[in-house]
Amino acid sequence: MATETNSLAVRVIPCLDVADGRVVKGVNFRGLRDAGDPVELAVKYAEQGADEITFLDVTATSDNRATTYDLVTRTAEHIFIPLTVGGGVRSVENVTRLLASGADKVGVNSAAIARPELIDEIAARFGAQVLVLSLDIRRSETTPSGFVVTTHGGRTDSGIDALAWAREACDRGAGELLVNSMDADGTKAGFDLELIEHIRELATVPVIASGGAGHVDDFAPAVAAGADAVLAASVFHYGEITIPEVKQALAEAGAVVRGA
């Protein structure tokens, strides 16, 4: 169990999915609706005790445009916890600009699948600690593991076995794996514990569980399954669960957390 073997505190991470400068949320990345201003939400979550903030431009790749750097800068100016930024990251140059804008880490997904060498290049230039590989995973009968990686905000099936890709990404230098269950995303039915367990078995780096949080009691099982961090979006954005409540539930379940 992660609560027994992981000496580091479990991180609680709100995710800001951004489109056109606003935080949005839907179910399975569809039916997006407005959830607020990203800077205001980031500040609120930092004040509540979030350990990190993840900022994903969910249409950057599908729209073939770069992440909104000025929004990253404005967010970074107001929070003093680590900020991970993903969406439209295709090159070492993109990473350089994001870090200069105030990001602490970058998330890469579609571009790394298109050209896996990008992982090696980023890790070699900036160090593995800067690189978070984002995996949007669906269950599928077309791959040996039963899980497939998707791209472009979950809209495109890559045909690549998710577990094989996660293992390769670790070997190439990814510093963390952000594992998002596209089947569970936005459903509030709980994290995909089987998926987390499979990734934990093969991963040599921290695992962030994402997709499916709906109740305060959903987070501890994800940690028990092997997650080093838990990430959620809509339940935080709409006030259904607060970060202190999640940390209290994790602490009561035996996890080490900050500020609980």
Side-chain angles (χ1 to χ4, degrees):
M1 292 190 39
T3 53
E4 295 174 350
T5 61
N6 184 5
S7 61
L8 298 176
V10 175
R11 291 167 288 152
V12 178
I13 307 173
C15 182
L16 308 182
D17 295 325
V18 176
D20 300 321
R22 298 288 293 179
V23 177
V24 296
K25 194 57 189 171
V27 177
N28 303 134
F29 277 42
R30 292 178 172 83
L32 300 179
R33 59 190 177 116
D34 190 276
D37 177 79
V39 178
E40 291 177 0
L41 284 173
V43 170
K44 181 179 77 170
Y45 296 144
E47 291 174 345
Q48 285 185 0
D51 298 297
E52 298 181 11
I53 297 289
T54 292
F55 176 114
L56 298 178
D57 189 329
V58 297
T59 58
T61 297
S62 60
D63 292 348
N64 194 30
R65 60 179 170 79
T67 302
T68 309
Y69 296 103
D70 64 322
L71 188 54
V72 174
T73 298
R74 288 192 289 115
T75 303
E77 286 174 347
H78 288 84
I79 64 172
F80 303 96
I81 55 177
L83 174 62
T84 299
V85 182
V89 177
R90 303 181 184 90
S91 67
V92 166
E93 290 71 27
N94 290 155
V95 177
T96 299
R97 189 170 176 186
L98 281 170
L99 296 179
S101 298
D104 298 283
K105 308 176 193 177
V106 297
V108 178
N109 181 356
S110 299
I113 291 172
R115 194 173 69 83
E117 294 78 13
L118 179 61
I119 298 174
D120 307 70
E121 293 165 4
I122 295 173
R125 176 75 174 272
F126 305 102
Q129 75 281 355
V130 163
L131 179 56
V132 179
L133 184 80
S134 182
L135 302 107
D136 292 336
I137 298 173
R138 290 190 190 279
R139 291 175 181 271
S140 172
E141 297 181 355
T142 64
T143 62
S145 72
F147 296 97
V148 68
V149 176
T150 66
T151 64
H152 299 79
R155 289 179 284 275
T156 304
D157 186 329
S158 72
I160 297 172
D161 186 287
L163 301 191
W165 173 233
R167 184 180 293 108
E168 179 181 347
C170 290
D171 292 342
R172 286 183 176 274
E176 290 185 273
L177 300 180
L178 171 53
V179 181
N180 185 38
S181 169
M182 298 304 299
D183 299 305
D185 181 74
T187 65
K188 302 182 182 179
F191 293 93
D192 188 330
L193 303 182
E194 181 185 5
L195 174 59
I196 296 168
E197 289 172 351
H198 284 312
I199 295 290
R200 178 70 279 163
E201 288 174 0
L202 63 87
T204 56
V205 299
V207 173
I208 305 168
S210 171
H215 189 272
V216 69
D217 292 332
D218 289 334
F219 294 87
V223 174
D228 301 277
V230 286
L231 179 147
S234 60
V235 291
F236 292 144
H237 301 338
Y238 301 124
E240 298 164 41
I241 301 174
T242 67
I243 291 164
E245 289 171 345
V246 171
K247 289 196 169 187
Q248 180 179 349
L250 288 172
E252 290 174 352
V256 177
V257 292
R258 298 185 184 94

